[in-house]
Amino acid sequence: ERWRAITNKLLEGYLIDQWNDFENYEFLNDSIFLEDLNNHIRFLGKKCIQTPCGGGYFLVYLDINDPHIKKVITKQLEENVMKLEPLIDWLRLFRKAGGRNEPLIGGDRITSGEILVEVEKSKHVQKGLKELSAKIGKTASTVKDQINGILQFLVQREYLVPVGVVGTEYLATSRWSIFYEELQYIAEYNAIETSPGDDREQGALI
């Protein structure tokens, strides 16, 4: 049953967006379907909302002012600092390699070949690539393999989705918009305690 499959996927922590799961994304775009889903999972203290960019759906807590939930969110914030570091490094590296100034957003196309060409132009960027590769546990020795390892790392964490049959092209997903919101929450860490009326739904902290 479609409703059950979508609910289970969301409860497992997956993102459903127009780039990684268009069919289920379309179901969630139906306001009646979404309302019915949220009515059924309300007893779990969660609800399904759109990603900040509007390109996908994920689960958040209903009441972030509940003492237990606030404690869970605080712990997740602390854990996420380390998890987000490789992503920040990647964005810096990607910007240096491609001369890109704007943030990576859902729907952006990335080609491993184009990144390789740009990385090979700079020893400084190659050093950063090697360091990032080691940070995520990859031991590839060539620049090409290091790039592919990092791209697969991003695919596994739902930040990229492969497209085509060659395996060298990727589309960014709307999880990047959740990532940017998480960064904002971490930057405003103390605001969790001082702003009980905050209605930004605590980003991806599920």
Side-chain angles (χ1 to χ4, degrees), residues 132-144:
L132 175 56
S133 182
K135 187 175 293 185
I136 63 175
K138 305 295 183 180
T139 57
S141 57
T142 68
V143 171
K144 181 179 179 180

Side-chain angles (χ1 to χ4, degrees), residues 11-193:
L11 287 172
E12 288 172 9
Y14 288 102
L15 168 77
I16 293 178
D17 79 358
Q18 59 183 302
W19 297 285
N20 71 2
D21 192 352
F22 182 76
E23 187 175 356
N24 285 332
Y25 168 78
E26 285 286 86
F27 275 93
L28 289 170
N29 261 342
D30 182 331
S31 60
I32 296 177
F33 183 94
L34 181 61
E35 182 179 4
D36 182 52
L37 185 150
N38 278 328
N39 286 336
H40 279 80
I41 66 174
R42 182 174 296 274
F43 77 98
L44 296 172
K46 293 186 177 183
K47 70 175 178 178
C48 179
I49 65 169
Q50 281 191 312
T51 56
C53 68
Y57 292 87
F58 68 122
L59 295 189
V60 296
Y61 288 112
L62 276 172
D63 183 12
I64 63 172
N65 294 314
D66 177 276
H68 172 70
I69 299 301
K70 184 174 290 189
K71 186 175 181 180
V72 171
I73 292 174
T74 300
K75 182 179 180 181
Q76 289 180 341
L77 278 172
E78 294 169 349
E79 293 175 347
N80 280 354
V81 171
M82 292 298 295
K83 294 179 181 179
L84 295 179
E85 188 177 348
L87 299 171
I88 296 172
D89 289 347
W90 159 253
L91 287 175
R92 288 172 177 163
L93 189 70
F94 183 64
R95 185 166 59 246
K96 290 177 182 177
R100 181 192 180 102
N101 293 319
E102 64 272 17
L104 193 63
I105 61 174
D108 282 350
R109 185 175 294 270
I110 295 175
T111 303
S112 60
E114 292 178 355
I115 296 176
L116 176 62
V117 170
E118 295 301 324
V119 170
E120 289 182 331
K121 294 178 181 178
S122 169
K123 292 294 184 182
H124 177 68
V125 175
Q126 288 175 37
K127 179 182 177 182
L129 177 70
K130 186 175 182 179
E131 292 173 351
L132 175 56
S133 182
K135 187 175 293 185
I136 63 175
K138 305 295 183 180
T139 57
S141 57
T142 68
V143 171
K144 181 179 179 180
D145 288 343
Q146 287 167 3
I147 291 172
N148 287 334
I150 292 169
L151 291 175
Q152 287 306 309
F153 169 83
L154 294 171
V155 169
Q156 292 168 4
R157 282 154 183 77
E158 297 188 297
Y159 287 94
L160 297 178
V161 57
V163 294
V165 295
V166 181
T168 60
E169 293 188 10
Y170 303 84
L171 287 179
T173 72
S174 58
R175 186 166 288 282
W176 285 107
S177 66
I178 301 175
F179 164 75
Y180 299 135
E181 190 170 84
E182 281 192 304
L183 284 184
Q184 182 179 355
Y185 268 91
I186 290 173
E188 300 172 0
Y189 185 88
N190 292 330
I192 292 180
E193 295 297 328

